[in-house]
Amino acid sequence: HARAAPLLAALGPLLPNLPASANLATVGAPLLRDASGLFLADGAGERVVAVNETEPSSVIAYALCTAAYAEQLAALQEAAGAGPCAALVSPARTHVEVPFAVPRGSRVAARVTVHYAVQFRALRDMAFSEEEFVASLRRCRKWDSTGGRSGSTWEKTLDDRFVIKRIQRVEMDSFVEEFAPLYFQYLAKAYYHNLPTAIAKILGVYSINYKSASKTIKQDIIVMENLFYNRSISKIYDLKGSVRNRYEKSSASVMLDVNLLHAMYENPLSVDEHSMAMLTMAVWNDTLFLSTLNVMDYSLIVGIDEGSGELVVGVIDYIRKYTWDKQLEKWFKSQTGGSTQPTVISPKNYKDRFRAAMFNYFIMVPGKATRVVSPASPKFRDDWSSGLLRVAPLQ
């Protein structure tokens, strides 16, 4: 009995509907099923995941633990070919449907679609083990991404390692049908050729379908790396290279472009020569890639780590394409007159504006390796087929 209270207390957050009268003698499968909304069989490898319908990451974690997923993934990996590079750039649409095991007679039906399972698994294997990924996804919490204006719903895993974003169906269709294959090719090229990129990595894309007697849930979800994981971030900037509607009054929010311009006189974003070169090339490469896909409205997120004094940067919100509604909005605003630039511009113009602004937002300071040389005028070809830009190592 001395151990009963701590055990039941630990079950509380996992099982929000657990009655207060529950005790160890009554905690069986039927009660757990009623308390959780969906109580599932053990996953592959004897891993157990408690599923809570209010925490989408737990549903994904369970799907990745099932024997059905493991079997389908193994068959698709074999078909894709040997080696992580071959798996990452495989043109096959390796989607895996994972139906959930529910008790016989249950009125609950659930399934998860794991999009591009082979490619995303190869991408994750470059950074961490699948066990770590699943362990993090078992629990998540609501997260207010202050400063974002997309209207999306966000969660973070409890260990802060990954960000879960619920996206609109049009964004999901765009990513799965057009964006994903080129995204994998781009990351493979950057990884295996050691080319600078600042894109915040999407590590998995999933569709959740859940139906019970009382509710139906359909969610399209992306899981991304948290750029600020294990960091002591004191201030965050979300930068787009524009000054229109880019000022945040609240000091507790994510700062925007105009806030940075005001702060540059006293607290500029200072970087050394090598870091400036890497950042410039990364922004050049990423914007070139995104513009070829007609993607716009992305941001450079910048976090100031007060512990190390480092700047943590990444390109985010890059799956929004320049669709007909954006073109119509641009045309309508251009007809209203005025000398200010419309808020919606073409992907090419957005790329050019973004590059110029990011170069000016960061102040280069001399370091130990700084050398004074004659100014060079390289003519970079803005042609995706010609390859990405490289950064020459310091002598």
Side-chain angles (χ1 to χ4, degrees), residues 11 15 27-42 48-53 62 100-103 106 108 210:
L11 285 173
L15 308 173
V27 177
L31 177 62
L32 290 173
R33 186 181 309 121
D34 293 339
S36 66
L38 187 61
F39 182 67
L40 303 165
D42 294 351
V48 178
V49 176
V51 171
N52 189 323
E53 65 188 33
Y62 175 80
F100 280 21
V102 296
S106 172
V108 172
Y210 171 86

Side-chain angles (χ1 to χ4, degrees), residues 266-341:
E266 295 183 359
N267 299 293
L269 299 180
S270 303
V271 294
D272 61 31
E273 180 185 21
H274 180 66
S275 298
M276 186 67 175
M278 294 294 290
L279 176 60
T280 301
M281 294 302 100
V283 168
W284 186 284
N285 291 337
D286 293 342
T287 55
L288 176 56
F289 165 65
L290 294 173
S291 68
T292 61
L293 292 172
N294 279 337
V295 172
M296 53 173 292
D297 210 29
Y298 41 85
S299 301
L300 186 75
I301 196 81
V302 181
I304 302 175
D305 188 333
E306 61 181 359
S308 64
E310 297 176 332
L311 299 180
V312 184
V313 304
V315 176
I316 62 171
D317 293 339
Y318 52 81
I319 60 175
R320 175 61 168 164
K321 294 196 69 175
Y322 184 64
T323 51
W324 67 268
D325 57 322
K326 287 287 186 183
Q327 297 180 50
L328 182 61
E329 182 182 349
K330 178 188 175 184
W331 176 85
F332 177 78
K333 290 183 178 180
S334 67
Q335 303 305 306
T336 61
S339 58
T340 57
Q341 191 177 26

Side-chain angles (χ1 to χ4, degrees), residues 107-159:
R107 298 169 67 181
V108 172
R111 74 177 188 275
V112 172
T113 302
V114 183
H115 298 282
Y116 290 99
V118 169
Q119 292 88 339
F120 276 120
R121 177 60 184 271
L123 179 61
R124 293 194 296 267
D125 285 345
M126 294 177 178
F128 43 78
S129 70
E130 191 72 354
E131 288 72 21
E132 293 178 275
F133 185 62
V134 171
S136 291
L137 291 181
R138 289 180 179 182
R139 298 296 313 279
C140 70
R141 66 181 184 278
K142 295 288 185 183
W143 176 48
D144 178 16
S145 60
T146 306
R149 301 185 181 182
S150 64
S152 300
T153 302
W154 300 77
E155 283 98 2
K156 269 187 182 180
T157 56
L158 288 189
D159 62 3

Side-chain angles (χ1 to χ4, degrees), residues 256-271:
L256 306 178
D257 297 66
V258 175
N259 299 97
L260 175 59
L261 293 175
H262 289 172
M264 284 180 67
Y265 296 101
E266 295 183 359
N267 299 293
L269 299 180
S270 303
V271 294

